[in-house]
Amino acid sequence: GRPQDTRSGERRRVGVVGVNGGGVSHVGGFGGRKDCEIAAICDADEGVGQARVAAIETSTKKKPAFYKDLRKLLEDKSIDLVTIATPNHWHSLAAIWAIQAGKDVYVEKPVSHNVWEGRQLVNAAQKYQRIVQMGVQSRSGAGLAAALEWLQSAPLGKLQFARGLCYKRRPSIGKVTA
């Protein structure tokens, strides 16, 4: 069966993992909802994580817990939902651990490094009956919808093969020395 949120009307306690990039949006998005509370912040870079905790405390007058170690966050039974905005190679494993810990999950794209990892995530969600959503914001954009409609109208004939490639130079995600 399909997992259902049985806590209708209750505030969901959210733990945000990775707050140096996309996780900032998670804090704003989930923290701005009446049915959610940012209850915990987790970041391997303690300086980044503690700064985010301080900012949340200043704006909400509530201080979320801080965890440097994801595994410690997952032990917190009061956390209902975990959002994951870590470097890409952590997405599947962090999501699977959260599911196994009884949490619902919102995970950024890409959901996995490869198809096998993605399948393990789906298997875990089904086994533990947890709700999992992956962020694919671009899919709902008007431009992409128009391009898909155009392709489906077959102006190029039947497509046999497509390949996409995108290189983006990115700045460092943090400390690189011990």
Side-chain angles (χ1 to χ4, degrees):
R2 187 171 166 263
Q4 297 293 318
D5 180 5
T6 58
R7 297 171 35 119
S8 180
E10 293 182 37
R11 284 175 61 91
R12 306 291 309 266
R13 291 179 47 84
V14 180
V16 181
V17 182
V19 290
N20 198 27
V24 175
S25 296
H26 294 194
V27 168
F30 285 93
R33 295 178 55 97
K34 291 179 182 171
D35 58 351
C36 292
E37 168 190 352
I38 303 299
I41 294 295
C42 179
D43 201 288
D45 185 327
E46 190 165 354
V48 168
Q50 292 289 8
R52 192 69 53 222
V53 166
I56 293 166
E57 183 178 22
T58 298
S59 67
T60 67
K61 307 301 181 229
K62 289 186 177 181
K63 183 177 183 178
F66 173 73
Y67 298 96
K68 185 174 179 174
D69 187 331
L70 168 61
R71 295 166 296 186
K72 297 297 182 192
L73 171 100
L74 298 178
E75 290 173 3
D76 185 339
K77 300 289 186 213
S78 76
I79 301 296
D80 304 304
L81 167 69
V82 172
T83 77
I84 301 165
T86 59
N88 294 351
H89 64 276
W90 266 102
H91 289 181
S92 287
L93 185 57
I96 291 168
W97 284 355
I99 291 164
Q100 290 171 331
K103 318 299 185 196
D104 292 325
V105 173
Y106 176 86
V107 59
E108 280 297 342
K109 61 191 165 303
V111 73
S112 62
H113 179 68
N114 56 48
V115 173
W116 182 86
E117 273 185 2
R119 176 49 51 195
Q120 302 321 301
L121 178 52
V122 170
N123 292 344
Q126 291 172 339
K127 177 179 178 179
Y128 293 95
Q129 292 293 289
R130 300 316 313 159
I131 297 168
V132 178
Q133 179 180 342
M134 180 187 67
V136 288
Q137 297 82 356
S138 296
R139 288 193 60 145
S140 56
L144 194 57
L148 184 59
E149 185 178 331
W150 181 78
L151 281 173
Q152 289 173 338
S153 72
L156 305 174
K158 184 177 178 187
L159 291 179
Q160 300 294 318
F161 180 79
R163 178 179 299 180
L165 185 60
C166 179
Y167 289 109
K168 293 180 186 175
R169 183 164 175 78
R170 292 187 168 211
S172 171
I173 61 170
K175 298 178 183 175
V176 292
T177 58

